[in-house]
Amino acid sequence: MKSCLIKYESLINVLKTYDCIAVAFSGGVDSTLLLKAAVDALGRNVVAITSDSPVHSRREIEAAIQYAKSQGIHHIVCDPGMMDADGFVENTAMRCYHCKQRMFLQMSKDVSSLGVSNVVHGVNCDDLEDYRPGLKAAEELGIKAPMVEAGLFKVDIRELAEFFGLAVAHKPAMSCLATRIPYGEPITEEKLSMIEAAENALYDLGFLQFRVRHHDSVARIEFSQDDLKRLFDLNQMAPVVKAVRGAGYLHVAADLEGYGQGRMNRVLNEGA
């Protein structure tokens, strides 16, 4: 824990180099810890800003709104008009680049009216190892990553979140709903709505870590090993099928390989 607290102090020192900042706030563990650190460093000179579009779960957006409200943090919800971005809806391998570019442009514009010129996001050192073209868009726009500067990894962030008593300390990793759709298949609000409804239904059934991958009329669900065990040991197949078909899918499949972040990126590596 000592090493984590040293890194947290480094994070505070990084944030203190700003007069005021806006934190891109999704409500996940990374951005929640970053927001807490920003408030610890700068007090009331902090704005939280959350993107509201069909690619983000309404459940997550509402959770972010409630958290900021409970902490008395000035909070803005912005609409980046994501579904109007051709480079995004075409769903090429650069989808994440176009998504982050549009989102951060809108965030920067919205907070500039408040006199805030610096936007930061909750990228950590582990994120640098994955295929994330959105990081390039953020860098080009001058969006800073203080947790990378402070040397924080995901394990550090979760440990610190638990130490500080943040409710999201053990919250499963989330990603935008568009990551559930295979590259090359256009992103539509109908597809995103089906994915969101199916995942909400699975959360309501008690599953915690999973992804509903969208393959036309087929939902291929990647469950964590714990959730796979729950699926089979507690005979949850019938409720899962009913719930996911209720979201509009004709067929429901459980991926035997289980949950894995960035699994849809395999096609970019020739099936590796």
Side-chain angles (χ1 to χ4, degrees):
M1 189 65 226
K2 183 178 179 180
S3 63
C4 289
L5 290 173
I6 291 172
K7 290 183 180 182
Y8 188 74
E9 189 61 33
S10 296
L11 176 60
I12 294 295
N13 290 333
V14 170
L15 293 167
K16 282 182 176 178
T17 63
Y18 300 97
D19 293 327
C20 58
I21 56 172
V23 176
F25 181 54
S26 68
V29 62
D30 298 337
S31 64
T32 300
L33 182 70
L34 179 58
L35 183 57
K36 175 195 162 33
V39 173
D40 286 350
L42 301 173
R44 297 180 64 83
N45 293 327
V46 175
V47 177
I49 184 163
T50 299
S51 175
D52 183 354
S53 78
V55 303
H56 301 297
S57 163
R58 174 54 49 185
R59 184 185 293 238
E60 295 298 304
I61 294 169
E62 291 298 330
I65 292 171
Q66 290 305 312
Y67 178 81
K69 183 178 180 180
S70 73
Q71 301 301 307
I73 299 170
H74 187 181
H75 188 213
I76 299 172
V77 178
C78 73
D79 179 4
M82 199 67 69
M83 302 307 292
D84 295 326
D86 291 339
F88 172 72
V89 297
E90 290 169 358
N91 199 16
T92 68
M94 292 298 288
R95 174 195 65 221
C96 186
Y97 175 88
H98 296 293
C99 174
K100 295 298 186 185
Q101 182 186 60
R102 194 171 185 98
M103 183 184 78
F104 285 131
L105 277 171
Q106 188 62 52
M107 286 183 171
S108 297
K109 179 180 178 181
D110 286 359
V111 301
S112 67
S113 64
L114 301 174
V116 179
S117 57
N118 295 295
V119 179
V120 298
H121 63 151
V123 170
N124 65 70
C125 293
D126 286 313
D127 295 328
L128 304 181
E129 302 300 319
D130 197 4
Y131 174 71
R132 293 178 182 249
L135 297 182
K136 178 177 173 59
E139 183 179 354
E140 290 174 351
L141 293 170
I143 309 300
K144 303 299 184 182
M147 294 202 290
V148 171
E149 293 183 57
L152 284 161
F153 289 82
K154 191 74 172 189
V155 65
D156 302 317
I157 292 168
R158 289 205 182 276
E159 192 167 343
L160 285 165
E162 185 171 13
F163 177 80
F164 290 123
L166 300 180
V168 295
H170 300 288
K171 184 177 182 178
M174 285 295 295
S175 59
C176 108
L177 297 174
T179 62
R180 306 344 184 228
I181 301 172
Y183 290 115
E185 294 186 14
I187 297 169
T188 66
E189 291 197 36
E190 179 184 8
K191 293 175 184 176
L192 295 171
S193 180
M194 287 174 65
I195 295 164
E196 182 175 9
E199 293 196 348
N200 281 339
L202 292 175
Y203 280 122
D204 291 340
L205 286 172
F207 294 95
L208 298 175
Q209 183 71 83
F210 57 85
R211 293 287 186 270
V212 173
R213 307 298 189 185
H214 181 96
H215 299 278
D216 296 322
S217 62
V218 178
R220 176 177 59 84
I221 309 172
E222 295 176 9
F223 288 104
S224 68
Q225 292 303 311
D226 286 343
D227 278 346
L228 266 176
K229 184 176 180 180
R230 184 175 188 275
L231 176 70
F232 295 118
D233 287 359
L234 299 182
N235 195 24
Q236 290 286 294
M237 281 83 78
V240 164
V241 170
K242 181 179 179 180
V244 177
R245 288 200 65 193
Y249 292 97
L250 294 180
H251 308 285
V252 183
D255 191 321
L256 296 181
E257 194 173 1
Y259 166 73
Q261 281 186 289
R263 189 67 56 73
M264 296 297 246
N265 291 335
R266 277 183 172 174
V267 67
L268 304 178
N269 298 312
E270 298 179 337

